[in-house]
């Protein structure tokens, strides 16, 4: 497994600073259009977001996620931690769906095997979480092999997820099956 370090993410973001500046002024589509082409990994992530928005779990499983995918959610809440493998990542997405979680990309940039994205992520059921998030995606063989999701406000994310996904009462939590 390749660890995703803070330094690696910062290098990926730094390498894309010029793209971020262009995207801030003209938008990501205009920045890509001005160069005449878009990085293939950016196209992959755009297609991933379209499948995610459509709730197409089959496409996520078969077209976008590497079998050994690792998806890390920082924080101190019930959904935090690293999900390993497609089944765990899709189970996490199913939990997000319970809160009507939506994501709308704002900016995407790629450097080598890395794609960095900024997106608006918000909940609808219950409403109450509406943040800018940053994701660092590592791409291998045309699929998402790893992702780390950074909320713009970790405290707000922790509070929302605790409110929305409380732990079961102790007797149920401690029961052995």
């Amino acid at each position: 497994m390749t660890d995703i370090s803070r330094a690696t993410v910062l290098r990926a973001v730094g390498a894309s600073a010029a793209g971020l500046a262009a995207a801030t002024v003209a938008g990501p589509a205009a920045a890509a259009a001005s160069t005449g082409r878009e990085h293939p990994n950016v196209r992959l992530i755009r297609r991933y977001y379209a499948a995610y928005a459509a709730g197409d779990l089959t496409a996520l499983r078969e077209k976008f996620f590497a079998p050994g995918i690792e998806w890390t959610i920082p924080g101190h809440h019930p959904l935090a931690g690293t999900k390993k493998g497609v089944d765990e990542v899709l189970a996490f997405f199913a939990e997000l769906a319970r809160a009507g979680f939506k994501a709308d990309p704002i900016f995407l940039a790629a450097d080598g095997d890395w794609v960095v994205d900024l997106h608006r992520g918000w909940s609808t059921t219950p409403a109450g979480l509406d943040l800018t998030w940053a994701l660092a995606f590592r791409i291998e063989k045309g699929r998402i092999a790893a992702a780390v999701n950074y909320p713009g406000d970790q405290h707000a994310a922790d509070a929302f997820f605790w409110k929305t996904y409380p732990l079961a009462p102790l007797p149920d939590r401690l029961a052995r099956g």
Side-chain angles (χ1 to χ4, degrees), residues 2-11 114 136 148 150:
T2 301
D3 288 335
I4 301 173
S5 70
R6 182 174 184 264
T8 301
V9 171
L10 291 174
R11 277 193 300 277
W114 287 93
V148 180
Y150 301 96

Side-chain angles (χ1 to χ4, degrees), residues 69-150:
I69 188 172
E70 293 191 359
W71 197 288
T72 301
I73 306 298
H76 304 283
H77 57 78
L79 298 184
T82 299
K83 287 56 176 151
K84 295 182 180 186
V86 175
D87 291 338
E88 283 188 19
V89 172
L90 290 178
F92 165 69
F93 282 13
E95 289 302 310
L96 290 179
R98 284 186 34 220
F101 204 80
K102 308 289 182 195
D104 189 20
I106 299 168
F107 165 79
L108 296 165
D111 186 16
D113 295 337
W114 287 93
V115 175
V116 174
D117 108 32
L118 295 176
H119 68 272
R120 175 184 175 224
W122 73 98
S123 66
T124 61
T125 314
L129 187 67
D130 194 342
L131 299 175
T132 300
W133 303 76
L135 260 83
F137 292 98
R138 186 170 49 78
I139 310 301
E140 286 181 359
K141 299 178 183 173
R143 298 214 178 192
I144 300 167
V148 180
N149 193 334
Y150 301 96

Side-chain angles (χ1 to χ4, degrees), residues 20-52:
L20 176 58
T24 301
V25 173
S34 71
T35 64
R37 62 179 133 119
E38 188 170 60
H39 193 286
N41 291 339
V42 168
R43 285 193 304 272
L44 173 78
I45 297 303
R46 284 193 196 285
R47 291 190 315 270
Y48 153 77
Y49 270 112
Y52 177 83

